[in-house]
Amino acid sequence: MNILKFSTIMIFLLFGKLFSQESSMYLGGSMGTSFVNHTLSAAIDEATTDDLTIDKNNFSYKIFAGYRANKFLSFEGGYRNTGKAEDRVLGYVISTTTKGWDIAAVGTLDLEIVFAFLKAGVFFWNTENSLGTELYKENNKSFLWGIGAGVKLGGIAVRLEWESLGTDNPESLSMLTGGVTFGF
């Protein structure tokens, strides 16, 4: 066999493995919107001690990597940023930003080209709240869960998912994102 035929066969085998549906590792990215509902309880001045509420949607994104243990179970971890929710209340600017790392188990119902999945895991988050010039920071972890569906196109998959990030600061935080994964 000459070197040209051997090289051509090797390239096709490598390309086929890289984009096969049976790949065990994948990288991905998603973007969409986050839903933030957060109440800041702090005295603005001596006369006003009202709670201030932020209820906003923001641009959010995440990057992640996963390992597909078998057709039904994967493990996924990544970084996410839910964006900065900002509002003006009683003449004061209030804002909250949450970002962090997560790890989750993903159960998949694979129907050949189409798939659905559920995920559960832990979100290690950092929140920065500002009220005027005051800045408050908190680090914590919370239960993460989500649901999604997608379409496989060889080693590439397109997916849509909703996730509840389970934080208590902000009180309600979730994400709706669309993204792509690349298997290898």
Side-chain angles (χ1 to χ4, degrees):
M1 182 183 298
N2 68 30
I3 192 77
L4 182 59
K5 285 181 184 177
F6 179 75
S7 299
T8 304
I9 291 170
M10 292 307 291
I11 288 172
F12 277 115
L13 288 174
L14 181 61
F15 187 76
K17 176 63 180 159
L18 184 62
F19 291 102
S20 73
Q21 290 183 350
E22 300 302 319
S23 59
S24 61
M25 306 252 335
Y26 59 93
L27 295 174
S30 296
M31 64 178 131
T33 188
S34 62
F35 305 95
V36 179
N37 188 328
H38 185 47
T39 301
L40 294 171
S41 300
I44 297 171
D45 55 37
E46 294 171 10
T48 307
T49 57
D50 296 335
D51 290 342
L52 307 176
T53 301
I54 302 172
D55 189 4
K56 297 283 184 181
N57 300 349
N58 301 307
F59 172 77
S60 61
Y61 67 91
K62 66 180 189 169
I63 54 173
F64 54 93
Y67 172 72
R68 201 169 286 110
N70 58 44
K71 189 174 181 179
F72 306 105
L73 180 65
S74 300
F75 298 96
E76 201 171 273
Y79 172 81
R80 67 181 69 228
N81 187 326
T82 64
K84 183 176 185 178
E86 191 171 83
D87 207 351
R88 184 173 283 281
V89 179
L90 301 174
Y92 293 90
V93 175
I94 58 174
S95 68
T96 185
T97 304
T98 303
K99 51 191 162 192
W101 298 92
D102 60 74
I103 187 162
V106 182
T108 304
L109 175 61
D110 193 343
L111 304 172
E112 296 302 318
I113 295 174
V114 179
F115 63 95
F117 61 91
L118 296 171
K119 68 167 46 175
V122 180
F123 179 41
F124 302 93
W125 50 271
N126 171 283
T127 295
E128 292 184 357
N129 299 310
S130 68
L131 174 60
T133 59
E134 298 293 322
L135 182 64
Y136 307 95
K137 295 182 180 183
E138 182 178 351
N139 297 313
N140 212 330
K141 61 184 174 297
S142 59
F143 178 67
L144 158 89
W145 66 276
I147 186 168
V151 176
K152 292 186 291 189
L153 309 165
I156 299 173
V158 178
R159 69 190 212 177
L160 178 68
E161 64 186 300
W162 177 83
E163 297 166 290
S164 172
L165 303 178
T167 62
D168 58 1
N169 183 12
E171 293 82 14
S172 175
L173 182 59
S174 60
M175 291 175 67
L176 178 63
T177 58
V180 177
T181 64
F182 301 93
F184 57 94

Tab-separated table of all heavy atoms in Angstrom, residues 93-136:
chain	number	residue	atom	x	y	z
A	93	VAL	N	-29.301	52.888	42.272
A	93	VAL	CA	-29.031	51.788	41.343
A	93	VAL	C	-28.707	50.553	42.173
A	93	VAL	O	-27.823	50.588	43.035
A	93	VAL	CB	-27.850	52.127	40.403
A	93	VAL	CG1	-27.500	50.931	39.543
A	93	VAL	CG2	-28.185	53.335	39.550
A	94	ILE	N	-29.459	49.482	41.925
A	94	ILE	CA	-29.191	48.212	42.583
A	94	ILE	C	-28.865	47.191	41.499
A	94	ILE	O	-29.404	47.252	40.393
A	94	ILE	CB	-30.376	47.742	43.453
A	94	ILE	CG1	-31.652	47.591	42.612
A	94	ILE	CG2	-30.594	48.682	44.601
A	94	ILE	CD1	-32.810	47.006	43.375
A	95	SER	N	-27.948	46.280	41.794
A	95	SER	CA	-27.579	45.263	40.802
A	95	SER	C	-27.138	43.976	41.484
A	95	SER	O	-26.755	43.982	42.654
A	95	SER	CB	-26.469	45.774	39.882
A	95	SER	OG	-25.267	45.916	40.593
A	96	THR	N	-27.209	42.904	40.720
A	96	THR	CA	-26.726	41.611	41.196
A	96	THR	C	-26.118	40.854	40.018
A	96	THR	O	-26.626	40.924	38.898
A	96	THR	CB	-27.850	40.786	41.864
A	96	THR	OG1	-27.298	39.587	42.403
A	96	THR	CG2	-28.970	40.454	40.901
A	97	THR	N	-25.008	40.187	40.264
A	97	THR	CA	-24.316	39.380	39.266
A	97	THR	C	-23.958	38.046	39.911
A	97	THR	O	-23.387	38.026	41.005
A	97	THR	CB	-23.017	40.064	38.802
A	97	THR	OG1	-23.330	41.361	38.314
A	97	THR	CG2	-22.326	39.265	37.731
A	98	THR	N	-24.294	36.948	39.225
A	98	THR	CA	-23.963	35.622	39.736
A	98	THR	C	-23.222	34.843	38.656
A	98	THR	O	-23.632	34.839	37.503
A	98	THR	CB	-25.230	34.851	40.153
A	98	THR	OG1	-25.936	35.613	41.136
A	98	THR	CG2	-24.879	33.493	40.731
A	99	LYS	N	-22.135	34.209	39.060
A	99	LYS	CA	-21.363	33.359	38.150
A	99	LYS	C	-20.729	32.243	38.964
A	99	LYS	O	-20.664	32.332	40.192
A	99	LYS	CB	-20.316	34.153	37.396
A	99	LYS	CG	-19.435	35.010	38.250
A	99	LYS	CD	-18.612	35.946	37.410
A	99	LYS	CE	-18.087	37.076	38.265
A	99	LYS	NZ	-17.521	38.139	37.471
A	100	GLY	N	-20.290	31.187	38.283
A	100	GLY	CA	-19.653	30.107	39.018
A	100	GLY	C	-19.458	28.860	38.193
A	100	GLY	O	-19.675	28.839	36.981
A	101	TRP	N	-19.043	27.791	38.886
A	101	TRP	CA	-18.720	26.495	38.294
A	101	TRP	C	-19.763	25.483	38.716
A	101	TRP	O	-20.347	25.594	39.782
A	101	TRP	CB	-17.343	26.039	38.777
A	101	TRP	CG	-16.264	26.967	38.368
A	101	TRP	CD1	-15.780	28.035	39.083
A	101	TRP	CD2	-15.547	26.958	37.144
A	101	TRP	NE1	-14.800	28.675	38.378
A	101	TRP	CE2	-14.641	28.038	37.166
A	101	TRP	CE3	-15.581	26.143	36.021
A	101	TRP	CZ2	-13.781	28.318	36.124
A	101	TRP	CZ3	-14.716	26.416	34.972
A	101	TRP	CH2	-13.828	27.500	35.038
A	102	ASP	N	-19.976	24.481	37.871
A	102	ASP	CA	-20.932	23.444	38.227
A	102	ASP	C	-20.453	22.080	37.773
A	102	ASP	O	-19.599	21.962	36.899
A	102	ASP	CB	-22.308	23.737	37.627
A	102	ASP	CG	-22.287	23.807	36.121
A	102	ASP	OD1	-22.182	22.756	35.465
A	102	ASP	OD2	-22.387	24.926	35.581
A	103	ILE	N	-21.018	21.049	38.387
A	103	ILE	CA	-20.802	19.669	37.978
A	103	ILE	C	-22.132	18.948	38.143
A	103	ILE	O	-22.845	19.193	39.122
A	103	ILE	CB	-19.667	18.993	38.779
A	103	ILE	CG1	-19.363	17.630	38.199
A	103	ILE	CG2	-19.970	18.943	40.241
A	103	ILE	CD1	-18.027	17.063	38.611
A	104	ALA	N	-22.478	18.100	37.155
A	104	ALA	CA	-23.787	17.453	37.189
A	104	ALA	C	-23.741	16.083	36.521
A	104	ALA	O	-22.928	15.830	35.635
A	104	ALA	CB	-24.818	18.328	36.477
A	105	ALA	N	-24.655	15.225	36.948
A	105	ALA	CA	-24.919	13.966	36.263
A	105	ALA	C	-26.076	14.222	35.299
A	105	ALA	O	-27.028	14.938	35.638
A	105	ALA	CB	-25.303	12.885	37.262
A	106	VAL	N	-25.989	13.667	34.105
A	106	VAL	CA	-26.991	13.904	33.068
A	106	VAL	C	-27.543	12.557	32.611
A	106	VAL	O	-26.803	11.723	32.104
A	106	VAL	CB	-26.383	14.653	31.862
A	106	VAL	CG1	-27.441	14.936	30.818
A	106	VAL	CG2	-25.707	15.950	32.309
A	107	GLY	N	-28.846	12.361	32.814
A	107	GLY	CA	-29.524	11.163	32.330
A	107	GLY	C	-30.166	11.463	30.985
A	107	GLY	O	-30.862	12.464	30.845
A	108	THR	N	-29.929	10.606	29.994
A	108	THR	CA	-30.375	10.878	28.626
A	108	THR	C	-31.295	9.782	28.112
A	108	THR	O	-31.022	8.597	28.299
A	108	THR	CB	-29.167	11.007	27.683
A	108	THR	OG1	-28.292	12.023	28.182
A	108	THR	CG2	-29.592	11.367	26.273
A	109	LEU	N	-32.371	10.195	27.454
A	109	LEU	CA	-33.236	9.301	26.690
A	109	LEU	C	-32.885	9.541	25.233
A	109	LEU	O	-33.200	10.592	24.673
A	109	LEU	CB	-34.714	9.603	26.958
A	109	LEU	CG	-35.713	8.807	26.121
A	109	LEU	CD1	-35.564	7.314	26.388
A	109	LEU	CD2	-37.120	9.283	26.405
A	110	ASP	N	-32.178	8.580	24.640
A	110	ASP	CA	-31.641	8.724	23.291
A	110	ASP	C	-32.559	8.042	22.285
A	110	ASP	O	-32.750	6.827	22.327
A	110	ASP	CB	-30.248	8.099	23.245
A	110	ASP	CG	-29.484	8.461	22.004
A	110	ASP	OD1	-30.092	8.911	21.024
A	110	ASP	OD2	-28.257	8.296	22.025
A	111	LEU	N	-33.153	8.822	21.396
A	111	LEU	CA	-34.052	8.295	20.368
A	111	LEU	C	-33.424	8.477	18.996
A	111	LEU	O	-33.989	9.137	18.124
A	111	LEU	CB	-35.410	9.004	20.438
A	111	LEU	CG	-36.112	8.944	21.792
A	111	LEU	CD1	-37.332	9.839	21.814
A	111	LEU	CD2	-36.484	7.516	22.123
A	112	GLU	N	-32.218	7.936	18.832
A	112	GLU	CA	-31.433	8.034	17.600
A	112	GLU	C	-30.984	9.471	17.342
A	112	GLU	O	-30.010	9.896	17.882
A	112	GLU	CB	-32.172	7.451	16.400
A	112	GLU	CG	-32.431	5.967	16.498
A	112	GLU	CD	-31.169	5.137	16.672
A	112	GLU	OE1	-30.156	5.414	16.013
A	112	GLU	OE2	-31.209	4.206	17.479
A	113	ILE	N	-31.713	10.235	16.545
A	113	ILE	CA	-31.301	11.594	16.204
A	113	ILE	C	-31.718	12.592	17.285
A	113	ILE	O	-31.004	13.523	17.609
A	113	ILE	CB	-31.876	12.010	14.836
A	113	ILE	CG1	-31.284	11.135	13.741
A	113	ILE	CG2	-31.610	13.478	14.544
A	113	ILE	CD1	-31.886	11.350	12.379
A	114	VAL	N	-32.883	12.390	17.874
A	114	VAL	CA	-33.419	13.289	18.893
A	114	VAL	C	-33.113	12.713	20.267
A	114	VAL	O	-33.131	11.504	20.464
A	114	VAL	CB	-34.952	13.447	18.711
A	114	VAL	CG1	-35.541	14.362	19.758
A	114	VAL	CG2	-35.275	13.953	17.311
A	115	PHE	N	-32.853	13.585	21.246
A	115	PHE	CA	-32.612	13.131	22.608
A	115	PHE	C	-33.222	14.108	23.599
A	115	PHE	O	-33.425	15.287	23.299
A	115	PHE	CB	-31.117	12.937	22.891
A	115	PHE	CG	-30.305	14.196	22.785
A	115	PHE	CD1	-30.024	14.964	23.910
A	115	PHE	CD2	-29.796	14.622	21.565
A	115	PHE	CE1	-29.262	16.120	23.818
A	115	PHE	CE2	-29.034	15.769	21.457
A	115	PHE	CZ	-28.769	16.530	22.584
A	116	ALA	N	-33.550	13.608	24.773
A	116	ALA	CA	-34.036	14.426	25.887
A	116	ALA	C	-33.173	14.100	27.093
A	116	ALA	O	-32.638	12.995	27.201
A	116	ALA	CB	-35.501	14.125	26.177
A	117	PHE	N	-33.016	15.057	27.997
A	117	PHE	CA	-32.169	14.789	29.155
A	117	PHE	C	-32.644	15.527	30.393
A	117	PHE	O	-33.324	16.550	30.315
A	117	PHE	CB	-30.703	15.126	28.860
A	117	PHE	CG	-30.435	16.563	28.505
A	117	PHE	CD1	-30.107	17.485	29.481
A	117	PHE	CD2	-30.494	16.986	27.188
A	117	PHE	CE1	-29.847	18.808	29.155
A	117	PHE	CE2	-30.229	18.298	26.846
A	117	PHE	CZ	-29.908	19.213	27.841
A	118	LEU	N	-32.273	14.967	31.538
A	118	LEU	CA	-32.452	15.569	32.857
A	118	LEU	C	-31.080	15.660	33.488
A	118	LEU	O	-30.244	14.786	33.277
A	118	LEU	CB	-33.347	14.701	33.739
A	118	LEU	CG	-34.788	14.493	33.304
A	118	LEU	CD1	-35.445	13.437	34.179
A	118	LEU	CD2	-35.545	15.804	33.397
A	119	LYS	N	-30.856	16.707	34.272
A	119	LYS	CA	-29.561	16.821	34.942
A	119	LYS	C	-29.765	17.231	36.386
A	119	LYS	O	-30.746	17.899	36.725
A	119	LYS	CB	-28.637	17.796	34.225
A	119	LYS	CG	-29.058	19.214	34.276
A	119	LYS	CD	-28.003	20.228	33.832
A	119	LYS	CE	-27.296	19.893	32.568
A	119	LYS	NZ	-26.393	20.952	32.129
A	120	ALA	N	-28.824	16.833	37.221
A	120	ALA	CA	-28.815	17.206	38.634
A	120	ALA	C	-27.368	17.289	39.083
A	120	ALA	O	-26.542	16.460	38.696
A	120	ALA	CB	-29.572	16.186	39.471
A	121	GLY	N	-27.070	18.312	39.887
A	121	GLY	CA	-25.699	18.477	40.346
A	121	GLY	C	-25.548	19.599	41.343
A	121	GLY	O	-26.498	19.974	42.030
A	122	VAL	N	-24.345	20.150	41.392
A	122	VAL	CA	-24.000	21.211	42.347
A	122	VAL	C	-23.473	22.421	41.583
A	122	VAL	O	-22.680	22.283	40.649
A	122	VAL	CB	-22.913	20.727	43.339
A	122	VAL	CG1	-22.555	21.820	44.323
A	122	VAL	CG2	-23.375	19.487	44.077
A	123	PHE	N	-23.929	23.603	41.990
A	123	PHE	CA	-23.484	24.874	41.423
A	123	PHE	C	-22.707	25.618	42.507
A	123	PHE	O	-23.239	25.918	43.570
A	123	PHE	CB	-24.698	25.680	40.955
A	123	PHE	CG	-24.386	27.030	40.380
A	123	PHE	CD1	-23.305	27.227	39.535
A	123	PHE	CD2	-25.197	28.117	40.656
A	123	PHE	CE1	-23.032	28.473	38.986
A	123	PHE	CE2	-24.937	29.364	40.108
A	123	PHE	CZ	-23.856	29.542	39.280
A	124	PHE	N	-21.428	25.884	42.256
A	124	PHE	CA	-20.566	26.643	43.179
A	124	PHE	C	-20.556	28.083	42.682
A	124	PHE	O	-19.933	28.373	41.670
A	124	PHE	CB	-19.147	26.050	43.187
A	124	PHE	CG	-19.123	24.615	43.585
A	124	PHE	CD1	-19.180	23.605	42.625
A	124	PHE	CD2	-19.047	24.269	44.924
A	124	PHE	CE1	-19.163	22.270	42.990
A	124	PHE	CE2	-19.020	22.927	45.294
A	124	PHE	CZ	-19.089	21.928	44.330
A	125	TRP	N	-21.248	28.971	43.375
A	125	TRP	CA	-21.501	30.302	42.846
A	125	TRP	C	-20.924	31.425	43.691
A	125	TRP	O	-20.644	31.269	44.860
A	125	TRP	CB	-22.995	30.525	42.648
A	125	TRP	CG	-23.879	30.203	43.817
A	125	TRP	CD1	-24.449	28.988	44.097
A	125	TRP	CD2	-24.312	31.089	44.849
A	125	TRP	NE1	-25.198	29.070	45.231
A	125	TRP	CE2	-25.145	30.348	45.714
A	125	TRP	CE3	-24.088	32.428	45.137
A	125	TRP	CZ2	-25.751	30.905	46.840
A	125	TRP	CZ3	-24.695	32.987	46.251
A	125	TRP	CH2	-25.511	32.227	47.081
A	126	ASN	N	-20.776	32.550	43.006
A	126	ASN	CA	-20.323	33.791	43.609
A	126	ASN	C	-21.304	34.869	43.165
A	126	ASN	O	-21.530	35.038	41.975
A	126	ASN	CB	-18.912	34.119	43.122
A	126	ASN	CG	-18.476	35.506	43.537
A	126	ASN	OD1	-18.889	36.485	42.938
A	126	ASN	ND2	-17.649	35.572	44.543
A	127	THR	N	-21.893	35.570	44.117
A	127	THR	CA	-22.819	36.663	43.813
A	127	THR	C	-22.252	37.967	44.333
A	127	THR	O	-21.738	38.025	45.449
A	127	THR	CB	-24.202	36.416	44.453
A	127	THR	OG1	-24.778	35.268	43.861
A	127	THR	CG2	-25.127	37.589	44.234
A	128	GLU	N	-22.351	39.000	43.504
A	128	GLU	CA	-22.000	40.364	43.913
A	128	GLU	C	-23.253	41.216	43.814
A	128	GLU	O	-23.854	41.328	42.745
A	128	GLU	CB	-20.910	40.935	43.016
A	128	GLU	CG	-19.581	40.262	43.185
A	128	GLU	CD	-18.482	40.901	42.351
A	128	GLU	OE1	-18.759	41.849	41.591
A	128	GLU	OE2	-17.348	40.431	42.457
A	129	ASN	N	-23.668	41.779	44.936
A	129	ASN	CA	-24.819	42.672	44.983
A	129	ASN	C	-24.320	44.072	45.261
A	129	ASN	O	-23.452	44.275	46.109
A	129	ASN	CB	-25.783	42.264	46.103
A	129	ASN	CG	-26.333	40.883	45.917
A	129	ASN	OD1	-26.819	40.548	44.847
A	129	ASN	ND2	-26.247	40.056	46.945
A	130	SER	N	-24.875	45.043	44.558
A	130	SER	CA	-24.509	46.428	44.865
A	130	SER	C	-25.775	47.237	45.096
A	130	SER	O	-26.788	47.046	44.436
A	130	SER	CB	-23.677	47.042	43.741
A	130	SER	OG	-24.448	47.220	42.585
A	131	LEU	N	-25.683	48.101	46.059
A	131	LEU	CA	-26.753	49.019	46.416
A	131	LEU	C	-26.103	50.389	46.510
A	131	LEU	O	-25.392	50.677	47.470
A	131	LEU	CB	-27.372	48.612	47.749
A	131	LEU	CG	-28.408	49.548	48.350
A	131	LEU	CD1	-29.593	49.710	47.416
A	131	LEU	CD2	-28.869	49.024	49.698
A	132	GLY	N	-26.283	51.189	45.443
A	132	GLY	CA	-25.575	52.462	45.372
A	132	GLY	C	-24.083	52.194	45.276
A	132	GLY	O	-23.621	51.511	44.375
A	133	THR	N	-23.327	52.678	46.256
A	133	THR	CA	-21.876	52.460	46.250
A	133	THR	C	-21.447	51.286	47.133
A	133	THR	O	-20.278	50.925	47.160
A	133	THR	CB	-21.153	53.728	46.736
A	133	THR	OG1	-21.612	54.040	48.063
A	133	THR	CG2	-21.410	54.901	45.798
A	134	GLU	N	-22.399	50.677	47.849
A	134	GLU	CA	-22.088	49.529	48.711
A	134	GLU	C	-22.031	48.255	47.872
A	134	GLU	O	-22.871	48.016	47.022
A	134	GLU	CB	-23.153	49.373	49.800
A	134	GLU	CG	-23.246	50.546	50.742
A	134	GLU	CD	-22.020	50.692	51.608
A	134	GLU	OE1	-21.464	49.660	52.042
A	134	GLU	OE2	-21.604	51.832	51.850
A	135	LEU	N	-21.033	47.405	48.142
A	135	LEU	CA	-20.876	46.146	47.434
A	135	LEU	C	-20.874	44.997	48.445
A	135	LEU	O	-20.141	45.036	49.428
A	135	LEU	CB	-19.564	46.129	46.636
A	135	LEU	CG	-19.285	44.904	45.802
A	135	LEU	CD1	-20.321	44.757	44.685
A	135	LEU	CD2	-17.895	44.981	45.199
A	136	TYR	N	-21.730	43.997	48.203
A	136	TYR	CA	-21.834	42.837	49.077
A	136	TYR	C	-21.527	41.595	48.248
A	136	TYR	O	-22.074	41.420	47.167
A	136	TYR	CB	-23.247	42.720	49.660
A	136	TYR	CG	-23.726	43.977	50.328
A	136	TYR	CD1	-24.497	44.906	49.627
A	136	TYR	CD2	-23.411	44.240	51.651
A	136	TYR	CE1	-24.931	46.064	50.233
A	136	TYR	CE2	-23.843	45.404	52.266
A	136	TYR	CZ	-24.607	46.309	51.547
A	136	TYR	OH	-25.034	47.446	52.149
